[in-house]
Each structure stands twice: as structure tokens, then as C-alpha cells.
Amino acid sequence: MKNIIFIGGIHGVGKGTICNEIALKTGSIHLTASQILKWEEISNRDNKLVKNIASTQSRLIKGLENLIRTDEKYLLDGHFCLLNSDGMPSRIDEDTFDQINPKAIGIVIDVVEKIAKRLEARDGKIYDVKVLNELQQMEIEYAKYLSDKYSIPHIEIKDRNYTQLMEII
């Protein structure tokens, strides 16, 4: 697809807000993996556990294939890792990213305790900070691994500073 910049991070970290801001400034199209998956059709909105990660990622790729046009630039916000049906952090299969073929990778990072409070306010549910921390660390490591694998830029977005990402766009 090569006209997609993939922006990852755990639930509640602020990916959507940052992608919306960037899209407004650059004319890029902001897509969310949840919208493409039509998450509300396969799970409750507040459910962050994924029963079958491989199946949801196949659905994501099919959705992207139907949406992506070669003459546009896209920001896709999603995840490098998810909580599986047992509530444990799990990497999304590399094949998904092989098919997305991103031109750059961004990872949004924040203090896990702040993320947990945002999620509680948003979802009305208390999340285990230890699990969220493990998930965020796994996302950071996997994002770096994938950017090295594809020899593409890797940008860590902290404190809502996405200047480096804007330079790539």
C-alpha cells in the first residue's frame, strides 16, 4: 500500500487525537483500525480483549484494500499489540504489517497511569496498570523491530510532540 503511515499505541494513549490534528494540517486521510474493522459489529465498544487476533487482522486488510487509493496519503491509527482473550498482551502477526506496507511507523507513548485514568473515564472500567505498562512496552519494542525490518522511519511521539512525523509527511 506504501501510502500509509501507521500510528500505533495502546488504547487511550491519544492516537486518534494526534492523527486528527495531523490530518487537518497535512490533508492526509485519518483512518482508524477500529472503524475499518467495524469493531462494533464484532465486539462491545468497551471490550478491549480480542478473541481471534488473526481473524480481526484479516478483516482489517480486506477493509484497507477496499478503501485505499494510490493518489491519497493516509494515517492509520491502530495497534502493534493487543490484549488477547485471556487479557494478555500479544503481538499482531507480522504478516499484517507486511500487507499494510507502511511508509513510516509512529508510536504514541504516555505515562501509563494517565492512560489508565483516561480509559477509566472513557470506558467506565478500571484497567490493570501493570498490564497496560507491559502492553505499552511490547508495542514500543515491536514498532522499533518493524521499522528496522522494513527500513522505514520510526518516530516516538511523546508529550503530543509529532514534529518529526510532520517532517516525513
Side-chain angles (χ1 to χ4, degrees), residues 90-156:
S90 298
R91 285 182 168 190
I92 290 172
D93 193 80
E94 283 182 46
D95 183 58
T96 298
F97 298 99
D98 292 346
Q99 292 178 67
I100 292 172
N101 191 21
K103 83 176 225 178
I105 285 177
I107 177 84
V108 182
I109 302 166
D110 204 350
V111 175
V112 175
E113 288 78 10
K114 287 184 359 186
I115 297 168
K117 286 181 182 174
R118 270 187 233 130
L119 286 170
E120 184 178 354
R122 184 180 81 186
D123 300 343
K125 186 175 173 183
I126 296 174
Y127 290 86
D128 184 335
V129 173
K130 183 180 173 195
V131 172
L132 291 177
N133 189 55
E134 184 180 343
L135 183 60
Q136 181 164 260
Q137 281 307 119
M138 187 181 283
E139 286 239 338
I140 292 167
E141 291 166 13
Y142 197 31
K144 178 69 175 133
Y145 165 80
L146 291 169
S147 69
D148 289 345
K149 175 183 176 180
Y150 303 127
S151 299
I152 58 174
H154 170 264
I155 294 104
E156 289 190 358

Side-chain angles (χ1 to χ4, degrees), residues 4-7 14-20 29-40 59-61 63-64 67-68 74-79 100:
I4 295 174
I5 294 177
F6 191 90
I7 309 295
K15 300 179 301 294
T17 301
I18 288 169
C19 286
N20 282 333
I29 298 170
H30 172 212
L31 301 172
T32 70
S34 295
Q35 289 171 327
I36 295 166
L37 285 166
K38 299 184 177 166
W39 186 249
E40 71 281 355
R59 187 173 174 142
L60 173 65
I61 296 302
L64 285 171
L67 281 172
I68 300 299
Y74 296 90
L75 297 168
L76 174 60
D77 91 54
H79 305 280
I100 292 172

